[in-house]
Amino acid sequence: MSRALAAGRAPTAAMLPLRRGCAPEPAGPAGSSPLNPLRSGVAAPAQAAVGSGAAAPRQAAKPARRASIVPLAAAADPAVTPAPEDSLGIFEVDPSLQAYEEHWRYRWNQYRATKASILQHEGSLADFACGYQRYGIVREEGATVYREWAPGAAEAQLIGDFNGWQGTAMERDDFGTWTLRLADGPDGKPAIPHGSRVKIRMRHSGGWWVDRLPAWVKWATVPQGVMGAKYDGIHWDPPAADKHKWVHRRPPRPQGLRIYEAHVGMSAEEPGVASYTHFKDNVLPRIKALGYNAIQLMAVQEHAYYGSFGYHVTNPFAVSSRSGTPEELKSLIDAAHGLGIHVLLDVVHSHISSNADDGLAGFDFGQPEEANYFKQGEAGYHRQWDSRLLNYRNYETLRYLLSNLRYWIEELRFDGFRFDGVTSMLYHHHGIDIGFSGGYHEYFSPATNVDAIVYLMLANEMVHELLPSAITIAEDVSGMPGLCRPVSEGGVGFDYRLGMGLPDYWIELLKHVKDEDWKMSALVGRLCNRRYTEKTIGYAESHDQALVGDKTVAFRLMDSEMYSGMSALAEPSPVIERGIALHKMIRTITMALGGEGYLNFMGNEFGHPEWLDFPREGNDWSYLYCRRQWSLVDTDHLRYKFLNAWDAACLAADDRYNFISSPWQWATMIDDEKQVLVAERGPLVFVFNFSPFNDYEGLQVPVPEPGKYRVALDSDAWDYGGKGRVGWDVDHFTAPAATEEEPEATYHGRGQSMFVLSPARTVVAYKKVDEAEEARLQAQQAAAARAAPPAAEKPSWMAALNGNGASNGAGADRA
């Protein structure tokens, strides 16, 4: 949802770039020191200092399994231990944060108070997040029970197929939870069969009745008959024989994340909405073959408006019925696990669709915030997204959201989450019309939404407690410090943040700067501008850049010539040659310097042409641009195959060398005049030549160790649409930089260098040869050859044929 934020740019000044052009910090206490022992005795500062609303205790809704509850803003509660006086661990990572210690201490105090209240009344965060096992329609001791927290309703009834839509009255407790218990029939069958259509009918205090979908519904479909709402809730509880039977265990957490961002509905080539089964059978094998180890599934939570890309969620617990059933989605996830692929859910907890008929927004009857999922007035409405904003201070909202995360992990077996719209959550201004310069005052001020931060801390803590291998990623354009530091030291607890400034920078370069004016120093500065110790997912483009109104990198590079110039049977035009070359270089340098993980959107790996445009009134509800044209990459005579092969080659290199996630990253040689950049990442030495015109033969390149180097990756190879100018079988021997006259001399900070060929618009990566290992392998091969039995003598007719080179060639031509 970042496109909706007017800010849209990553910060600069507040980021802590790695030293020496992305060189790693020396080992030390940063990132490894434990939280200091806690001491009591500090009360929260005045709420006005941090701008999070009234600090006074307020009435909270009753939890489902407890008789009473203390307020969440319990800084003064004697049962809650106040925040410590001594430093939080986060200050050891970044001492400059101590200037905002009052804010951090208040935030920490609010988190601890909220958590203490939950533990006191629920036992644990995990138990608190079991709401989906109690709310909605559940089975309990020979009965079907329906519970719904709806304190704004004066009366409530459950209606559906099971009672002819006549309504069965529900009972309300003192805290706004409505309950209906229906005993099983004499035959032992549930009163509400699996697949039944259901709704809750509620009477407003003004006297009128409305029909809504249950807040905890697991599936919802568009009804064929005439109903008050566009969607019907579907009671999903299939018999054992129809439930998906899990086969594969979750794969181990990868050392480095390589994420394939995907939208199931638009994953087919034929116009229409693709199914989970289609994606499993047709797209998963492509993802595995390319070398990605994680997929990030978009638009899984049900959303009434398809064109929202899944970001205007109506039913957070419901698997989107457009692409199939919950069991079919489970089958997709199970198959991904069998291929060793992690599955991340693009979860939307930053806002809810304003569609009251079909979604959670229908439970807001204008009741006070303490009895509401949503904030009220201006604070409860996002004016750019036309959506409702959640009340993260409310106990039942926290139960609902945390239970939602646990449901997707336990019931659907997702391996983690990419949290959408985190910037909107972190600030009361939601990032609208705000340009983040990077000053710390922009992150720690009355504009900071501490309630939302506390929720995110609880969410990350609970998810990692429930599933230690879980991966959580924050979509935050602001660059808030501490977002990806552990909760135990005062951070928000995410594993990664998205490097959202990088796609913007590539667009800026491609639109406004001539190729010959690209500065390597500026490029390194932007790619390495991220906080030390906080991991980043780097990417050149995501779904945002593919949407109608924008252009993918490939389309921006080659535009209309993609329709006529992508045949590999003819010489490429200058536009196509440039586009193919830069597409490869942009992706590779983003992998090498842009983060500790990498993300690509479905189809962009092979330069998918055109844009994404969901069916809407403006395009006559067409699916023409809401699909992926896999036939382009599968057609052997088209150049799309070269980009696809290069993507796979880079990921295979990461599989072998783990360079993307390596903490060792150093841009050693930055030559703006030559437009050459040499960077070390992990064991690889990358040589980027961005010059549009100049080939450099005998280019002197600094290397980290003396020895012999060979090519590990070469974008100029024939297999990737290049010209094949770089020799893969050439050994590059290093020479010392020191001389008798200058024994301490170095070359760009390195004690040795080598000479290489660097063609224009290419990237070549080199790896030092392990000569001892190479000698060992050669000895093994020689021994095996000596031990092999002698080859059988060929018949005379075969020997005669093989001795005639002309005959061999002719035969091959005829074949």
Side-chain angles (χ1 to χ4, degrees), residues 555 558-565:
F555 206 33
M558 295 175 277
D559 216 315
S560 61
E561 290 209 25
M562 296 187 79
Y563 300 111
S564 58

Side-chain angles (χ1 to χ4, degrees), residues 258-581:
R258 304 189 296 263
I259 303 172
Y260 197 83
E261 185 185 34
H263 186 290
V264 170
M266 54 169 289
S267 66
E269 181 144 0
E270 300 74 25
V273 181
S275 67
Y276 301 121
T277 301
H278 175 276
F279 188 92
K280 177 192 69 174
D281 295 341
N282 296 279
V283 184
L284 272 183
R286 294 179 182 273
I287 297 171
K288 175 63 176 178
L290 283 166
Y292 290 91
N293 56 26
I295 54 174
Q296 177 183 304
L297 292 183
M298 310 171 64
V300 170
Q301 294 177 291
E302 189 59 88
H303 47 292
Y305 178 47
Y306 191 47
S308 74
F309 225 138
Y311 291 121
H312 275 205
V313 169
T314 46
N315 316 105
F317 283 86
V319 171
S320 179
S321 60
R322 285 185 183 84
S323 293
T325 68
E327 307 311 306
E328 290 166 338
L329 177 57
K330 292 176 186 177
S331 181
L332 185 165
I333 295 170
D334 201 4
H337 287 168
L339 295 173
I341 297 173
H342 286 250
V343 187
L344 309 179
L345 176 67
D346 200 345
V347 70
V348 184
H349 283 181
S350 49
H351 63 132
I352 290 288
S353 169
S354 296
N355 183 338
D357 287 338
D358 296 332
L360 186 67
F363 287 84
D364 183 4
F365 284 12
Q367 67 268 30
E369 288 182 357
E370 62 267 20
N372 208 319
Y373 286 118
F374 301 97
K375 300 289 287 183
Q376 295 297 291
E378 185 177 347
Y381 179 71
H382 197 295
R383 58 182 170 86
Q384 282 197 342
W385 295 346
D386 184 28
S387 55
R388 298 302 314 279
L389 297 172
L390 292 156
N391 180 11
Y392 302 107
R393 197 176 183 81
N394 185 279
Y395 197 93
E396 293 305 316
T397 303
L398 291 179
R399 184 200 305 281
Y400 186 83
L401 296 177
L402 292 175
S403 296
N404 189 238
L405 298 175
R406 180 164 188 171
Y407 168 75
W408 291 108
I409 287 176
E410 285 196 338
E411 296 299 312
L412 280 298
R413 299 202 184 179
F414 278 91
D415 302 297
F417 304 96
R418 178 266 201 187
F419 281 73
D420 176 70
V422 168
T423 304
S424 178
M425 301 173 70
L426 295 176
Y427 311 99
H428 294 299
H429 53 62
H430 313 300
I432 300 174
D433 300 328
I434 299 294
F436 290 96
S437 67
Y440 278 12
H441 65 283
E442 297 169 342
Y443 307 118
F444 315 120
S445 75
T448 308
N449 188 345
V450 173
D451 294 334
I453 290 174
V454 167
Y455 161 65
L456 292 172
M457 293 171 74
L458 294 170
N460 278 298
E461 182 176 4
M462 188 273 295
V463 166
H464 289 103
E465 176 186 307
L466 197 65
L467 183 65
S469 64
I471 299 163
T472 59
I473 304 170
E475 189 210 31
D476 170 40
V477 73
S478 74
M480 174 178 275
L483 196 65
C484 300
R485 293 302 304 171
V487 173
S488 61
E489 66 183 34
V492 182
F494 285 101
D495 297 302
Y496 298 87
R497 76 168 85 236
L498 289 177
M500 298 181 68
L502 300 184
D504 288 339
Y505 184 62
W506 289 121
I507 292 172
E508 179 184 329
L509 279 179
L510 293 172
K511 286 179 66 175
H512 303 300
V513 183
K514 294 179 180 179
D515 293 3
E516 57 268 31
D517 293 334
W518 287 20
K519 301 296 183 184
M520 300 301 98
S521 54
L523 191 56
V524 170
R526 291 299 290 266
L527 286 166
C528 296
N529 187 18
R530 56 187 188 273
R531 290 187 61 79
Y532 174 59
T533 78
E534 298 194 35
K535 293 182 179 179
T536 295
I537 301 294
Y539 61 104
E541 54 185 337
S542 68
H543 69 274
D544 280 339
Q545 287 70 43
L547 287 169
V548 66
D550 206 337
K551 290 183 178 181
T552 63
V553 169
F555 206 33
R556 195 174 292 281
L557 285 167
M558 295 175 277
D559 216 315
S560 61
E561 290 209 25
M562 296 187 79
Y563 300 111
S564 58
M566 291 298 279
S567 173
L569 302 178
E571 287 296 313
S573 70
V575 169
I576 294 297
E577 186 173 15
R578 168 184 179 264
I580 296 287

Side-chain angles (χ1 to χ4, degrees), residues 10-162:
T12 53
M15 306 298 264
L16 301 178
L18 305 183
R19 295 189 295 184
R20 287 293 307 271
C22 300
E25 292 278 3
S32 60
S33 54
L35 183 66
N36 291 335
L38 303 181
R39 296 203 304 268
S40 60
V42 175
Q47 182 69 19
V50 292
S52 186
R58 50 146 182 77
Q59 181 182 0
K62 178 183 177 183
R65 289 177 287 175
R66 303 290 170 180
S68 61
I69 174 177
V70 296
L72 296 188
D77 193 317
V80 177
T81 304
E85 286 184 342
D86 49 345
S87 297
L88 295 170
I90 193 79
F91 297 149
E92 297 183 29
V93 178
D94 183 359
S96 60
L97 293 173
Q98 286 185 307
Y100 299 88
E101 183 175 359
E102 183 181 24
H103 174 96
W104 282 92
R105 201 161 299 289
Y106 175 78
R107 190 164 99 177
W108 178 248
N109 198 37
Q110 290 298 94
Y111 153 74
R112 295 184 68 218
T114 304
K115 181 180 175 181
S117 177
I118 291 171
L119 297 186
Q120 178 182 352
H121 299 286
E122 301 286 342
S124 69
L125 284 177
D127 288 341
F128 184 52
C130 285
Y132 71 91
Q133 298 174 358
R134 183 168 176 81
Y135 285 87
I137 300 175
V138 296
R139 296 283 297 155
E140 291 181 5
E141 300 175 353
T144 300
V145 180
Y146 172 50
R147 292 187 184 88
E148 196 73 79
W149 185 66
E155 292 183 62
Q157 302 173 355
L158 183 63
I159 61 175
D161 293 331
F162 75 99

Side-chain angles (χ1 to χ4, degrees), residues 246-264:
W246 295 94
V247 176
H248 302 288
R249 299 173 64 88
R250 298 178 191 268
R253 179 168 172 159
Q255 179 177 343
L257 267 183
R258 304 189 296 263
I259 303 172
Y260 197 83
E261 185 185 34
H263 186 290
V264 170

